[in-house]
Short mmCIF file of all heavy atoms in Angstrom, two decimals:
data_model
loop_
_atom_site.label_atom_id
_atom_site.label_comp_id
_atom_site.label_asym_id
_atom_site.label_seq_id
_atom_site.Cartn_x
_atom_site.Cartn_y
_atom_site.Cartn_z
N PHE A 45 108.16 93.01 89.61
CA PHE A 45 109.29 92.12 89.89
C PHE A 45 109.78 92.32 91.33
O PHE A 45 110.12 91.38 92.02
CB PHE A 45 110.46 92.41 88.95
CG PHE A 45 110.24 91.93 87.54
CD1 PHE A 45 111.20 92.15 86.56
CD2 PHE A 45 109.08 91.24 87.19
CE1 PHE A 45 111.00 91.71 85.26
CE2 PHE A 45 108.88 90.80 85.89
CZ PHE A 45 109.85 91.04 84.93
N LEU A 46 109.80 93.58 91.75
CA LEU A 46 110.35 93.89 93.07
C LEU A 46 109.46 93.42 94.21
O LEU A 46 109.95 93.11 95.29
CB LEU A 46 110.61 95.40 93.20
CG LEU A 46 111.79 95.95 92.42
CD1 LEU A 46 111.80 97.47 92.47
CD2 LEU A 46 113.11 95.42 92.97
N VAL A 47 108.14 93.42 93.99
CA VAL A 47 107.26 93.04 95.10
C VAL A 47 106.80 91.58 95.03
O VAL A 47 106.09 91.12 95.92
CB VAL A 47 106.00 93.94 95.20
CG1 VAL A 47 106.38 95.36 95.47
CG2 VAL A 47 105.14 93.83 93.95
N LEU A 48 107.21 90.84 94.00
CA LEU A 48 106.81 89.43 93.91
C LEU A 48 107.22 88.68 95.17
O LEU A 48 108.30 88.91 95.69
CB LEU A 48 107.51 88.76 92.72
CG LEU A 48 106.93 88.94 91.33
CD1 LEU A 48 107.83 88.27 90.32
CD2 LEU A 48 105.53 88.36 91.24
N PRO A 49 106.36 87.77 95.64
CA PRO A 49 106.76 86.97 96.80
C PRO A 49 107.97 86.11 96.44
O PRO A 49 107.98 85.48 95.38
CB PRO A 49 105.52 86.11 97.09
CG PRO A 49 104.68 86.17 95.87
CD PRO A 49 105.00 87.45 95.18
N GLN A 50 108.98 86.09 97.28
CA GLN A 50 110.24 85.41 96.98
C GLN A 50 110.16 83.94 97.29
O GLN A 50 110.83 83.44 98.19
CB GLN A 50 111.36 86.02 97.83
CG GLN A 50 111.51 87.50 97.65
CD GLN A 50 112.25 87.82 96.39
OE1 GLN A 50 113.42 87.52 96.27
NE2 GLN A 50 111.54 88.39 95.43
N LYS A 51 109.28 83.21 96.55
CA LYS A 51 109.13 81.82 96.93
C LYS A 51 109.75 80.85 95.95
O LYS A 51 110.06 79.74 96.29
CB LYS A 51 107.66 81.48 97.16
CG LYS A 51 106.81 81.76 95.95
CD LYS A 51 105.38 81.34 96.17
CE LYS A 51 104.62 81.61 94.90
NZ LYS A 51 103.21 81.46 95.04
N ASN A 52 109.94 81.26 94.70
CA ASN A 52 110.63 80.33 93.80
C ASN A 52 111.76 81.03 93.05
O ASN A 52 111.92 82.25 93.11
CB ASN A 52 109.65 79.65 92.86
CG ASN A 52 108.92 80.66 92.00
OD1 ASN A 52 109.50 81.66 91.57
ND2 ASN A 52 107.64 80.42 91.78
N LEU A 53 112.53 80.22 92.34
CA LEU A 53 113.76 80.71 91.72
C LEU A 53 113.48 81.81 90.69
O LEU A 53 114.17 82.82 90.64
CB LEU A 53 114.49 79.53 91.07
CG LEU A 53 115.90 79.86 90.58
CD1 LEU A 53 116.78 80.20 91.77
CD2 LEU A 53 116.48 78.69 89.81
N ILE A 54 112.43 81.61 89.87
CA ILE A 54 112.13 82.59 88.83
C ILE A 54 111.86 83.95 89.44
O ILE A 54 112.41 84.97 89.00
CB ILE A 54 110.92 82.13 87.98
CG1 ILE A 54 111.23 80.79 87.32
CG2 ILE A 54 110.56 83.16 86.94
CD1 ILE A 54 110.03 80.11 86.71
N ASN A 55 111.03 83.96 90.48
CA ASN A 55 110.73 85.23 91.14
C ASN A 55 111.99 85.88 91.68
O ASN A 55 112.16 87.10 91.61
CB ASN A 55 109.75 85.00 92.30
CG ASN A 55 108.35 84.70 91.79
OD1 ASN A 55 108.14 84.55 90.59
ND2 ASN A 55 107.40 84.61 92.70
N LYS A 56 112.88 85.04 92.24
CA LYS A 56 114.10 85.59 92.82
C LYS A 56 114.99 86.20 91.74
O LYS A 56 115.56 87.27 91.95
CB LYS A 56 114.87 84.49 93.57
CG LYS A 56 114.30 84.24 94.96
CD LYS A 56 115.05 83.14 95.66
CE LYS A 56 114.27 82.73 96.91
NZ LYS A 56 114.66 81.42 97.40
N ILE A 57 115.05 85.52 90.59
CA ILE A 57 115.88 86.05 89.50
C ILE A 57 115.30 87.37 88.99
O ILE A 57 116.02 88.35 88.80
CB ILE A 57 115.97 85.01 88.34
CG1 ILE A 57 116.80 83.81 88.80
CG2 ILE A 57 116.59 85.64 87.10
CD1 ILE A 57 116.77 82.64 87.84
N LEU A 58 113.97 87.41 88.80
CA LEU A 58 113.33 88.64 88.34
C LEU A 58 113.60 89.78 89.31
O LEU A 58 113.88 90.91 88.92
CB LEU A 58 111.82 88.42 88.18
CG LEU A 58 111.40 87.46 87.07
CD1 LEU A 58 109.90 87.27 87.07
CD2 LEU A 58 111.87 87.97 85.72
N ASN A 59 113.51 89.44 90.60
CA ASN A 59 113.74 90.44 91.63
C ASN A 59 115.17 90.98 91.57
O ASN A 59 115.39 92.19 91.61
CB ASN A 59 113.47 89.79 92.99
CG ASN A 59 113.62 90.77 94.12
OD1 ASN A 59 114.73 91.12 94.47
ND2 ASN A 59 112.51 91.23 94.65
N LYS A 60 116.12 90.07 91.42
CA LYS A 60 117.53 90.48 91.35
C LYS A 60 117.77 91.34 90.12
O LYS A 60 118.48 92.34 90.16
CB LYS A 60 118.45 89.25 91.30
CG LYS A 60 118.65 88.57 92.64
CD LYS A 60 119.75 89.26 93.43
CE LYS A 60 119.83 88.76 94.86
NZ LYS A 60 118.59 88.91 95.64
N PHE A 61 117.14 90.93 89.00
CA PHE A 61 117.29 91.69 87.76
C PHE A 61 116.81 93.12 87.95
O PHE A 61 117.49 94.08 87.59
CB PHE A 61 116.52 91.01 86.62
CG PHE A 61 116.34 91.89 85.41
CD1 PHE A 61 117.41 92.11 84.56
CD2 PHE A 61 115.14 92.53 85.17
CE1 PHE A 61 117.27 92.94 83.46
CE2 PHE A 61 114.99 93.37 84.08
CZ PHE A 61 116.07 93.58 83.21
N ALA A 62 115.62 93.26 88.56
CA ALA A 62 115.05 94.58 88.76
C ALA A 62 115.95 95.42 89.67
O ALA A 62 116.19 96.60 89.41
CB ALA A 62 113.65 94.47 89.35
N SER A 63 116.46 94.81 90.73
CA SER A 63 117.34 95.55 91.65
C SER A 63 118.59 96.03 90.92
O SER A 63 119.04 97.15 91.11
CB SER A 63 117.78 94.67 92.82
OG SER A 63 116.67 94.08 93.42
N PHE A 64 119.12 95.15 90.06
CA PHE A 64 120.33 95.48 89.32
C PHE A 64 120.06 96.65 88.37
O PHE A 64 120.83 97.61 88.30
CB PHE A 64 120.80 94.24 88.54
CG PHE A 64 122.01 94.48 87.69
CD1 PHE A 64 123.26 94.61 88.28
CD2 PHE A 64 121.90 94.57 86.31
CE1 PHE A 64 124.37 94.85 87.49
CE2 PHE A 64 123.01 94.81 85.52
CZ PHE A 64 124.25 94.95 86.12
N TYR A 65 118.94 96.56 87.65
CA TYR A 65 118.55 97.62 86.72
C TYR A 65 118.47 98.95 87.45
O TYR A 65 119.03 99.96 87.01
CB TYR A 65 117.18 97.25 86.13
CG TYR A 65 116.65 98.21 85.09
CD1 TYR A 65 116.72 97.89 83.74
CD2 TYR A 65 116.04 99.41 85.45
CE1 TYR A 65 116.21 98.75 82.78
CE2 TYR A 65 115.54 100.28 84.49
CZ TYR A 65 115.62 99.94 83.17
OH TYR A 65 115.12 100.79 82.23
N LEU A 66 117.81 98.95 88.59
CA LEU A 66 117.66 100.17 89.36
C LEU A 66 119.00 100.72 89.81
O LEU A 66 119.26 101.92 89.73
CB LEU A 66 116.79 99.91 90.60
CG LEU A 66 115.36 100.43 90.51
CD1 LEU A 66 114.60 99.66 89.45
CD2 LEU A 66 114.67 100.31 91.85
N ALA A 67 119.86 99.82 90.28
CA ALA A 67 121.15 100.25 90.80
C ALA A 67 121.96 100.92 89.69
O ALA A 67 122.52 102.00 89.89
CB ALA A 67 121.90 99.05 91.36
N VAL A 68 121.98 100.30 88.50
CA VAL A 68 122.79 100.84 87.41
C VAL A 68 122.22 102.17 86.92
O VAL A 68 122.94 103.16 86.79
CB VAL A 68 122.86 99.82 86.25
CG1 VAL A 68 123.50 100.45 85.03
CG2 VAL A 68 123.64 98.60 86.68
N ILE A 69 120.92 102.19 86.65
CA ILE A 69 120.32 103.39 86.06
C ILE A 69 120.33 104.56 87.03
O ILE A 69 120.61 105.70 86.66
CB ILE A 69 118.88 103.10 85.59
CG1 ILE A 69 118.88 102.02 84.50
CG2 ILE A 69 118.22 104.37 85.08
CD1 ILE A 69 119.59 102.40 83.23
#
Side-chain angles (χ1 to χ4, degrees):
Chain A
F45 287 178
L46 287 171
V47 298
L48 279 177
Q50 304 281 293
K51 58 176 182 189
N52 60 37
L53 189 65
I54 300 168
N55 287 6
K56 279 179 192 161
I57 291 171
L58 292 177
N59 183 285
K60 282 276 171 302
F61 166 75
S63 309
F64 177 74
Y65 183 102
L66 256 66
V68 171
I69 298 296

